[in-house]
Amino acid sequence: MNLRQQMRVRLAESPIWLRWQRLQPRERLSLSLLGAFLLVVLFLLLWQPAQQRARDARDYFEQERELHAYLEQNTELARQMSRSNPVSLAPDQLQGLVTQSAQQRGLAIESFDFGNDGSLQVTLPGASYGVLLRWFDELQAAGASLAEVSISQVGEGLVDARVSFRAEG
């Protein structure tokens, strides 16, 4: 007796199968429809959201991989740029420079906070990412260095940013 035949014999002797055979056709149909409904519900409530989360995680991973590759590629350039900043800026001129250049770029500064170490922390809500990067370049060329940057995406091309500047003097 092969495996298939053994499975048929076991199924035919199973109490569940015997009970199923004793049900009326209408009851079998009802139970079959209920089973199909439960499978659809399980698929919609469990499987699809899990697959969506997996796709989102893969997309996020790819974005982070691209960012890492970009940073690795431009590390030496960033080091060279930070070493070759010949412009000096007095600490008391930092706030004026940041405010004026932000207005020129159309960036809205929500708040200023002065650190004990002479740094200036600025909060910019809903800023264009491209404009923000060009603004950073402009400020660094004017003698302000970026001490710390925190950026979170809030929309397509828009970010909330919290930036700490120091005057290079």
Side-chain angles (χ1 to χ4, degrees):
M1 194 185 268
N2 66 20
L3 182 61
R4 181 175 271 179
Q5 290 171 341
Q6 287 176 357
M7 293 299 289
R8 283 186 183 161
V9 168
R10 285 188 183 172
L11 178 63
E13 294 173 357
S14 165
I16 294 174
W17 182 254
L18 294 173
R19 172 83 181 195
W20 177 261
Q21 293 299 320
R22 282 182 286 201
L23 292 175
Q24 296 295 321
R26 186 177 61 193
E27 292 171 334
R28 284 189 210 165
L29 177 63
S30 297
L31 286 174
S32 297
L33 290 175
L34 178 63
F37 173 75
L38 289 175
L39 283 175
V40 168
V41 167
L42 285 175
F43 175 76
L44 292 175
L45 292 178
L46 298 176
W47 184 255
Q48 278 189 330
Q51 289 298 314
Q52 182 61 43
R53 281 189 219 103
R55 279 191 297 274
D56 292 346
R58 270 193 300 275
D59 292 344
Y60 179 75
F61 174 75
E62 287 301 320
Q63 289 174 351
E64 292 298 312
R65 180 187 285 177
E66 290 171 10
L67 176 61
H68 177 72
Y70 174 80
L71 292 174
E72 287 289 320
Q73 222 172 18
N74 293 301
T75 300
E76 190 56 38
L77 176 62
R79 285 188 184 130
Q80 289 173 1
M81 287 176 66
S82 68
R83 281 187 233 126
S84 65
N85 193 357
V87 179
S88 66
L89 177 69
D92 59 338
Q93 297 173 324
L94 181 60
Q95 183 181 359
L97 173 68
V98 169
T99 304
Q100 181 184 14
S101 63
Q103 286 175 347
Q104 290 172 349
R105 291 274 181 192
L107 295 169
I109 297 177
E110 183 177 73
S111 66
F112 288 101
D113 189 24
F114 295 96
N116 293 337
D117 59 352
S119 65
L120 174 66
Q121 190 172 56
V122 179
T123 304
L124 300 123
S128 167
Y129 185 68
V131 171
L132 195 64
L133 291 179
R134 287 188 291 279
W135 183 56
F136 290 163
D137 286 340
E138 178 184 315
L139 288 172
Q140 285 183 318
S145 68
L146 295 170
E148 188 176 329
V149 178
S150 173
I151 296 176
S152 59
Q153 183 176 4
V154 294
E156 187 66 34
L158 297 177
V159 295
D160 283 344
R162 188 172 195 97
V163 186
S164 291
F165 295 102
R166 285 201 182 99
E168 294 292 322

